[in-house]
Every structure is written in structure tokens, then in C-alpha cells.
């Protein structure tokens, strides 16, 4: 390979990276309808350069989302190398939520449209899931995350947190809610175990004192059955 050819390829890589960065910022600010000419202007390249790398808006969207996932993978790998397992796992989730909330338009359209071939996006999503699963399993082995949580549970919870943060104008308040939500993954959180999910009052039969099951709708339960109801009725008549 000649020096000129190597230089041309290096320029092409730099231009592609500029277009991806400009597209991500422009779409986050202006939505998915931002013209490719505006993206080219932000990137400091000609429109022909954009079309040479990305022949359609769909191809550009896919590449932007794949790049986003690759950035998250790199973040997860750094955290795994530098932090304790539990700290790395929750740090990764916060990175997912904070970074993805700024790319909501792109994430929504790429995830929703299953008709795209997107081989590059498929590979990026697979790598992302692998890193997420590895961090989750390490945190579970360390005792920092509930054992009954699967990678798909974490992915769904993170997606919900992205939507929640994106809907809040007060970002610090939104991040507080995100942290409270993610705390439900810790072993001490038992809100999904049995009847403790609802803080129901201790309701008992007015006649015999037996514990009653509280119904979510309808009239409040007062007696455990027909026998106690009749006894109470007879006492009221006698009184």
C-alpha cells in the first residue's frame, strides 16, 4: 500500500467518525428529520461524503446506534477492569441510562423497525448483551445483585429508566429516581417476594379475629365467612 493510499483511507475513517458524531448530536437535538445536509455541515464535510459512507438515512441511523452500543461496551469493559463487581455493574447501568437518554430518538426507531438487515447493528447488540451478562453474573457472584435477575430483566429495566429520565426536565431529580429504581436489583430489595409486595394492613374478621385477605376492589371485607356474618347480624338484632 502506498503512502497516498494509506492517507486516503485514514482521511476516510476520520470523515466517517465526524459524520457519525455530528449525526448523533444533530438527531438528539432536532429529531430524526434533521436533513443530511445539516449533518454534513456540522461534520465539516460535503454532502457527497455523507452519502458515500451512508447511502440512506436508515444506514446512518443504524451506524449511529451501533456506535452508541460500542461506546457502552467499551465503558463496561473499563468498569470491569477497574472496579469491584457490584460497583462495575451499577456503574454500567448508570452509563447506559445517562448516555442513552440523550439518544432516545435514535434508539426508539432502530429498535422498533425490525425490517432492517443491519448486520453491523446485530453484532454490536450481541457484544453489548455479552458485556451486560458478564457484569451481572460477576455482581451476583459477589452478592451485590439478586440471584433471580436475568440479563433480559436488567435490559428492560434500563430501558424503562432511559424513558423515565428522558421525560424529566429536572435531570438531577430524574437521576435520583433512576438510582432508586436500580436499587431494586440489590439483594435487600424484596418487593416482588410473595405478599410483601403490597404493604397491606393487618385486617381481621370482626367476629372471630381471623386474618382476612384484602380485595383490591369492592366493599371492604369485614367477616371471614357467612357464619361470622350471621353471628354479627344476630348480635346486632339482639342489641
Amino acid at each position: 500500500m502506498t503512502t497516498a493510499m494509506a492517507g486516503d483511507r485514514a482521511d476516510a475513517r476520520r470523515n466517517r467518525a465526524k459524520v457519525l458524531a455530528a449525526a448523533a448530536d444533530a438527531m438528539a437535538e432536532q429529531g430524526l428529520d434533521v436533513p443530511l445536509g445539516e449533518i454534513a455541515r456540522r461534520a465539516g464535510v460535503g454532502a457527497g461524503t455523507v452519502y458515500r459512507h451512508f447511502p440512506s438515512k436508515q444506514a446512518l441511523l443504524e451506524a449511529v446506534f451501533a456506535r452508541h452500543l460500542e461506546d457502552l461496551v467499551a465503558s463496561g469493559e473499563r468498569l470491569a477492569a477497574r472496579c469491584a463487581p457490584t460497583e462495575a455493574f451499577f456503574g454500567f447501568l448508570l452509563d447506559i441510562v445517562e448516555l442513552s437518554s440523550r439518544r432516545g430518538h435514535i434508539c426508539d426507531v432502530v429498535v422498533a423497525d425490525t425490517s432492517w438487515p443491519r448486520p453491523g447493528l446485530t453484532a454490536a447488540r450481541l457484544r453489548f448483551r455479552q458485556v451486560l451478562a458478564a457484569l451481572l453474573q460477576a455482581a451476583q457472584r459477589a452478592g451485590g445483585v439478586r440471584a433471580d435477575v436475568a440479563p433480559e430483566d436488567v435490559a428492560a429495566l434500563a430501558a424503562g429508566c432511559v424513558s423515565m429520565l428522558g421525560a424529566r426536565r429536572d435531570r438531577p431529580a430524574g437521576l435520583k429516581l433512576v438510582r432508586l429504581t436500580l436499587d431494586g436489583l440489590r439483594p435487600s430489595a424484596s418487593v416482588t417476594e410473595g405478599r410483601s409486595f403490597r404493604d397491606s394492613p393487618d385486617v381481621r374478621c370482626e367476629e372471630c379475629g381471623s386474618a382476612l385477605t384484602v380485595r383490591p376492589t369492592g366493599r371492604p371485607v369485614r367477616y371471614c365467612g357467612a357464619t361470622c356474618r350471621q353471628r354479627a347480624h344476630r348480635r346486632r338484632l339482639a342489641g
Side-chain angles (χ1 to χ4, degrees), residues 136-183:
L136 170 62
Q137 291 164 7
Q140 288 174 324
R141 287 194 297 269
V145 176
R146 298 171 54 141
D148 60 345
V149 174
E152 54 269 24
D153 300 326
V154 176
L157 185 63
C161 286
V162 169
S163 298
M164 181 170 61
L165 182 57
R168 295 296 296 256
R169 293 184 178 181
D170 185 344
R171 192 169 183 84
L175 285 172
K176 179 181 178 180
L177 290 178
V178 167
R179 291 175 182 273
L180 288 172
T181 302
L182 296 181
D183 275 344

Side-chain angles (χ1 to χ4, degrees), residues 57-69:
K57 176 68 78 67
Q58 289 184 340
L60 180 56
L61 281 170
E62 178 180 337
V64 169
F65 191 61
R67 177 65 177 273
H68 174 64
L69 290 177

